[in-house]
Amino acid sequence: MPEMPEVEVLARRLRPLLRGKRIRHIDVYRKKSLRPTASTEFQKKLSGATFADVSRRGKYLLFKLRPKTSGKEITVLGHLGMTGRMFIALKKERLPKHAAVVFDLGKHNFVYEDYRYFGRMSLDLAPIELLGPEPLSKEFTTTFLATGLKRSRQPVKVKLLDQSIAAGVGNIYASEALYRAGISPKLASNKVTGEQTTSLWCAIRETLRDAIRYGSTVPLKSMSGKSDTLFYYGGDGENRYSKRLRVYDRAGKPCFHCGTKIQRIAQAARSTFFCPHCQAL
DNA sequence: CACCATGTTCCTTG
DNA sequence: CCAAGGAACATGGT
């Protein structure tokens, strides 16, 4: 689920569903999913609190809550890792096998589940201090991007995953943005020209904006077919969105622009997809 | 058994 | 001090 557009769509979906809901009780099935916060502290601080807002920063979700007794607002940070999901379900519905934390909201549960447990929910806000600007905000300028790229010899695809460059860009959209910009993922960051920086800047923003729009218009369905898991992810499908991802997970398939076979390579132990013709070095 | 998977952090090496 | 590479975290699917 979890790159910036997916998290943004999730935040938008959760916001109206959680606002005003009071937490009766919290079940912690996986204490490590709250690291570094202790489960006792988490439960004590949040039991009786009311959700006031849900927002996003990079790939992190921010839950704002009003405490039970008057006091200052509480912020809970959420991260979905690779496989995290969050959704609202009727209490009578069976919990998923890998439910990590479940908030009792009365008639409904707010469920955080994550079968690989790379994600987390915590009261520690330190992670967001290290993030670079939001790529769709005015703080993210071509100059900022150029400066970030200039002092690295890493391949530009690898550098795009650095959250201090543009918060929220992940492995899928890094490949997608480079394809749109016509830049080889292997090009060293400090060799990216000024002109290329500008097209990359545009491509990052277009790619993310399009992905948010896609997620905002497509019905988010569950994999189980039961409750709405508020989940979306997927490459080529049979539906009208089949061209949403242009290179990611399309190794061996023809480039939509020139027909050349899309290539998959490994960079920093992660897959990169690109068109060797449209993104020549 | 092998290799792959939307992410981050820690440890080592240079 | 920093940049870069690799492993670890954990549970699957193919």
Side-chain angles (χ1 to χ4, degrees), chain A residues 30-42 60 77 119-127:
Chain A
R30 196 80 169 199
K31 289 185 179 176
K32 276 189 179 176
S33 293
L34 300 179
R35 67 191 180 285
T37 305
S39 59
T40 46
E41 187 199 356
F42 194 84
Y60 291 86
L77 214 60
R120 72 175 118 165
M121 243 183 208
S122 85
L123 297 170
D124 173 30
L125 307 183

Side-chain angles (χ1 to χ4, degrees), chain A residues 57 138 149 155 213 226 233 258:
Chain A
R57 178 79 173 90
K138 62 180 189 310
L149 294 177
R213 191 179 311 125
K226 295 185 292 189
Y233 166 72
C258 74

Side-chain angles (χ1 to χ4, degrees), chain A residues 56-57 131-148 164-167 201 205:
Chain A
R56 178 196 60 76
R57 178 79 173 90
L131 297 176
E134 284 295 319
L136 296 181
S137 75
K138 62 180 189 310
E139 281 72 42
F140 182 61
T141 61
T142 52
T143 308
F144 181 88
L145 179 59
T147 306
S164 70
I165 299 283
W201 179 85
R205 292 165 56 99

Side-chain angles (χ1 to χ4, degrees), chain A residues 37 59 74 82 84 89 188 207 252:
Chain A
T37 305
K59 297 170 194 170
I74 304 167
M82 294 274 263
T207 302

